[in-house]
Amino acid sequence: GKVEMSLEVVSEEEQDERPAGVGRDEPNMNPHLEEPHRPETSFLWFSSPYKTLRFILWRRFKWLILLSVILFLLFLFVATFLYAFPNYAAMKMVGPFGPAKAAQRFKWLILLSVILFLLFLFVATFLYAFPNYAAMKMVGPFGPAKAAQ
């Protein structure tokens, strides 16, 4: 860090005329010492790890963390679907509960497949467009030359 310091050499008479406390203690004059302006990030990382996460990791990697969580949840959803799909498909094909109920449940399976496909298209479009959006926010819509003007 940086230290700002001033030093005055005075005679004993001047010392008696202009008293000064130790540090910011009273009397706080000759010279007057103001309270330091410390930034919010002034902390010890081991005493408060949540502040470390908030000020260093979250501010820098917020969108990457959110995207990772969304992709992880999507992966869990797709993995659960793929795990359960063969059993449901076999039950629909065999129709152990009668032909009417099997046909009705097969419609729900088709609807679920369409919804998953649309969700996949949305995520793929987002992942394709996200780098361009992030770059545009950094340099502006007209490039770095016009954004600086």
Side-chain angles (χ1 to χ4, degrees):
K2 296 180 181 180
V3 175
E4 185 177 333
M5 184 177 98
S6 65
L7 179 67
E8 292 182 30
V9 180
V10 295
S11 64
E12 287 186 33
E13 294 88 26
E14 287 182 56
Q15 177 186 357
D16 294 335
E17 290 173 7
R18 300 187 309 166
V22 177
R24 281 185 225 81
D25 293 340
E26 292 297 327
N28 187 2
M29 57 184 172
N30 303 321
H32 174 74
L33 299 176
E34 297 178 7
E35 291 293 323
H37 301 289
R38 293 189 176 102
E40 288 186 31
T41 57
S42 175
F43 59 87
L44 298 173
W45 66 270
F46 54 88
S47 66
S48 180
Y50 297 114
K51 275 189 178 181
T52 304
L53 293 174
R54 179 174 161 222
F55 285 108
I56 296 174
L57 294 179
W58 182 252
R59 283 187 181 172
R60 194 171 197 191
F61 301 111
K62 174 176 33 178
W63 294 112
L64 184 65
I65 292 169
L66 289 174
L67 184 65
S68 300
V69 168
I70 290 171
L71 287 177
F72 179 72
L73 291 174
L74 183 66
F75 172 75
L76 285 179
F77 181 73
V78 169
T80 305
F81 174 75
L82 292 177
Y83 175 77
F85 180 74
N87 186 28
Y88 285 121
M91 294 294 275
K92 301 304 178 206
M93 288 179 203
V94 174
F97 303 110
K101 289 183 180 179
Q104 185 180 12
R105 289 183 184 170
F106 194 66
K107 288 179 187 177
W108 284 106
L109 185 63
I110 292 173
L111 180 65
L112 181 63
S113 300
V114 169
I115 290 172
L116 282 176
F117 179 72
L118 292 175
L119 182 66
F120 171 77
L121 284 179
F122 173 76
V123 169
T125 305
F126 176 76
L127 291 177
Y128 177 74
F130 183 73
N132 296 333
Y133 174 76
M136 194 167 61
K137 288 212 42 127
M138 282 190 246
V139 298
F142 304 107
K146 291 189 180 181
Q149 293 175 353

